[in-house]
Amino acid sequence: MSLILKLAIQLQGKKLAKQLDIATTKPKQVQQEFLLKLLYKNQHTAFGKEHNFSQIATEEDYRKAVPIRDYEQLRPYCDRIIKGKKSVLTAEQSFMFNMTSGTIGKPKYIPVTKESEKLTSQLMRQWLYRIIIDHPQFLDFASAGIVSPAIEGYTASGIPYGSISGRIYQKIPAIIRSSYAIPHQVWQLKNYEEKYLAVALFLLCRQVSFICTPNPSTLIRIAELIDSRKEELIRSIYDGAINIKSSHQSKLIFSLQKLFKPQPQRAKELEIIVEKTNHLLPKDYWQYLKLIGCWIGGSVGIKAQKLTDYFGDLPIRDLGYLASEAQMTLPCLDNTSSGILAINTNYYEFIPEEDLDTVNFPVLSAHQLELGKRYSILLTTTAGLYRYHINDIVEVTGFYHQTPLVAFIRKGKDMTNITGEKMHVNHILLAMKKVMQILKISITHYRVTPNLEKSLYEFYLELTDNVSHSWLQHKFIPEIDQALAAVNIEYEQKRKSQRLHLPILHLMHKGWYETECRREVDKGKRDVQQKWKILCNQPSLEDKEAIIETIEVKHNVI
């Protein structure tokens, strides 16, 4: 099966990779042609008529005719599609929506067309092809993809909506899906605990050589679940019993039980690992694991750094700059979030980060980008997004032929401000990384909020290491204060003038992070895409209730 899989990936991916390679030698021409072809195809849509697509002959014409929009400005068009109207944004009818959280509380429904799905699928095939060149053994054993359901419901007009990760999972070639360790029925389980217990069981009873999911925190959760319930899981594998009691989905669990057979030999192997290490971790029970696929950049990067503790020192291949709106890059190297800008998949425009707050900001094309500079990205897709402001900041890390290599850096609005210091989540991430290196302490679960009344920042920490009140007061707080000053000159100035005061710490009860994640899932947010908010404008009631101790420093001099 491994040989057949490799041949299938090479046949499907080689031609597509060559096409992209050629395109990257002439990004200006490819992007212009892509845009004009797209506009011509959709000139008779409602949106096309409103914006005179038939009269657009250049990129400059396009920018004059079509204003920049965020989703809320695009929502009325999407609402018409949801109601079943045709030829609204695209001549090709949307057959489903990618659903994601919106900025005003209402979900965003991002249209998906057959063309847009085809282009995303082609990028995935190239991703797999480029991996097999570097890691020819990564599919020698079972593979595991951890995703949200592709279809989670239907609009009133009968159009399905779901998740981008689920769609990608479905569009991976069938011959690869046949090697999946986790049966597709598992993703239909509604209960959080039941689903992840089933995932753990099916993963633990197989030798896995490749595991993939967007968010690295999902991998850590599963590893921790298996380790914390190792005796119970080993017994289930020995007996071949899925010990899940559900009154709501008993038929589904019964169908999973039929697929789960007794494996006394595997159970014995796992028992030996526990006897030797007192733990049950992936780096020990998956001896043939060759590669992890997940995001490693942006705000989830701190979680990706912890994967080594559980999985060992393995290469990680980023999934690319991927959002519900589109897939925009194709990573081709391990251990970097940077990827080739997918110039034959979407049309892109860029606003220099430093010009975002100016009135007449410049708008650049892909071929005009500069190495090392950061940009806000505007997206035009075959699914009906036109000059869509996705509110992301990306950085140009290099070039592949003449085409930029791009890495996602952060969302555009992850910033707080008490007295002019303009604190960004990246400042927090950098400062915490520095403090953990200096003090040799591991802190994976934390949150920061500004206290406007006291003119200071509050750090909420869930600690795994046993440290004293005195150590946190006299070591950690001064170090985090110094680290913030080092990465944010405005913070340093405001601290020196005492317009900002020393941070304070809140120690959180064990399980705070997990409880918060589950609460988000219970609200309807998909667990594999749930992203922990590190910098918040204010603490939640649940955050305040989870505090077990508050630590402050009397003096206030930096």
Side-chain angles (χ1 to χ4, degrees), residues 96 98 148-152 161-167 526 529:
M96 72 164 291
N98 285 323
S148 298
I151 297 177
E152 299 183 36
Y161 56 83
S163 76
I164 182 64
S165 62
R167 290 299 300 176
R526 291 189 293 273
Q529 293 183 332

Side-chain angles (χ1 to χ4, degrees), residues 241-506:
I242 298 179
N243 296 314
I244 298 175
K245 309 297 181 184
S246 174
S247 58
H248 302 292
Q249 293 186 286
S250 56
K251 289 184 179 179
L252 180 57
I253 293 172
F254 179 74
S255 71
L256 289 171
Q257 179 61 72
K258 289 165 63 175
L259 300 172
F260 195 72
K261 306 299 181 184
Q263 294 192 50
Q265 182 59 40
R266 178 59 171 166
K268 182 62 176 176
E269 293 171 1
L270 299 173
E271 284 180 341
I272 292 172
I273 292 171
V274 175
E275 289 171 4
K276 288 182 177 179
T277 67
N278 201 34
H279 290 284
L280 195 57
L281 299 177
K283 60 186 177 183
D284 297 315
Y285 54 74
W286 284 337
Q287 63 191 80
Y288 302 105
L289 187 61
K290 300 297 182 184
L291 182 74
I292 296 172
C294 70
W295 289 325
I296 59 177
S299 60
V300 301
I302 191 170
K303 289 294 182 182
Q305 294 172 14
K306 296 294 293 180
L307 290 175
T308 303
D309 296 343
Y310 301 89
F311 292 83
D313 189 15
L314 289 171
I316 302 174
R317 184 65 64 98
D318 197 284
L319 299 184
Y321 178 21
L322 170 68
S324 296
E325 289 82 0
Q327 182 167 354
M328 290 158 273
T329 67
L330 178 66
C332 52
L333 296 174
D334 297 334
N335 305 318
T336 174
S337 60
S338 182
I340 306 166
L341 187 67
I343 57 171
N344 52 4
T345 300
N346 308 290
Y347 174 76
Y348 311 94
E349 298 168 271
F350 301 87
I351 304 169
E353 182 183 28
E354 65 270 19
D355 295 319
L356 279 171
D357 294 328
T358 62
V359 177
N360 297 312
F361 51 77
V363 177
L364 307 177
S365 299
H367 68 280
Q368 297 175 304
L369 303 190
E370 298 178 36
L371 178 65
K373 295 200 68 172
R374 293 184 176 183
Y375 303 89
S376 181
I377 191 167
L378 306 177
L379 188 60
T380 296
T381 74
T382 57
L385 302 181
Y386 301 100
R387 309 200 76 203
Y388 180 84
H389 199 310
I390 198 170
N391 190 34
D392 287 346
I393 301 296
V394 300
E395 182 176 314
V396 177
T397 61
F399 291 88
Y400 186 87
H401 297 148
Q402 303 302 314
T403 296
L405 292 168
V406 171
F408 170 78
I409 300 300
R410 60 175 173 83
K411 297 299 295 182
K413 296 181 180 179
D414 293 331
M415 184 176 286
T416 58
N417 194 41
I418 295 175
T419 181
E421 76 285 359
K422 298 183 288 294
M423 183 68 70
H424 193 273
V425 67
N426 278 357
H427 298 140
I428 303 296
L429 291 169
L430 289 169
M432 285 293 287
K433 182 178 180 180
K434 183 176 181 179
V435 169
M436 287 189 280
Q437 289 174 341
I438 292 173
L439 300 181
K440 295 180 172 55
I441 184 174
S442 176
I443 303 171
T444 56
H445 304 152
Y446 64 92
R447 176 169 286 157
V448 181
T449 64
N451 187 317
L452 301 181
E453 290 186 6
K454 295 183 177 181
S455 293
L456 53 79
Y457 281 87
E458 302 184 70
F459 283 70
Y460 300 76
L461 311 179
E462 182 182 344
L463 299 177
T464 53
D465 298 335
N466 292 320
V467 293
S468 68
H469 178 112
S470 177
W471 186 90
L472 288 168
Q473 185 178 47
H474 299 297
K475 289 288 188 182
F476 184 88
I477 291 179
E479 283 292 350
I480 195 64
D481 186 47
Q482 292 287 344
L484 287 172
V487 298
N488 185 330
I489 190 172
E490 293 288 349
Y491 177 91
E492 180 184 30
Q493 292 174 355
K494 304 304 188 293
R495 282 286 293 116
K496 286 180 176 178
S497 66
Q498 296 193 24
R499 282 175 284 175
L500 281 177
H501 305 306
L502 273 170
I504 64 174
L505 303 184
H506 301 296

Side-chain angles (χ1 to χ4, degrees), residues 122-140:
Q122 288 178 348
L123 280 176
M124 176 54 64
R125 283 174 164 81
Q126 292 180 68
W127 187 77
L128 291 167
Y129 168 73
R130 292 170 189 266
I131 289 176
I132 204 109
I133 301 301
D134 297 332
H135 303 283
Q137 296 177 315
F138 90 110
L139 291 176
D140 280 1

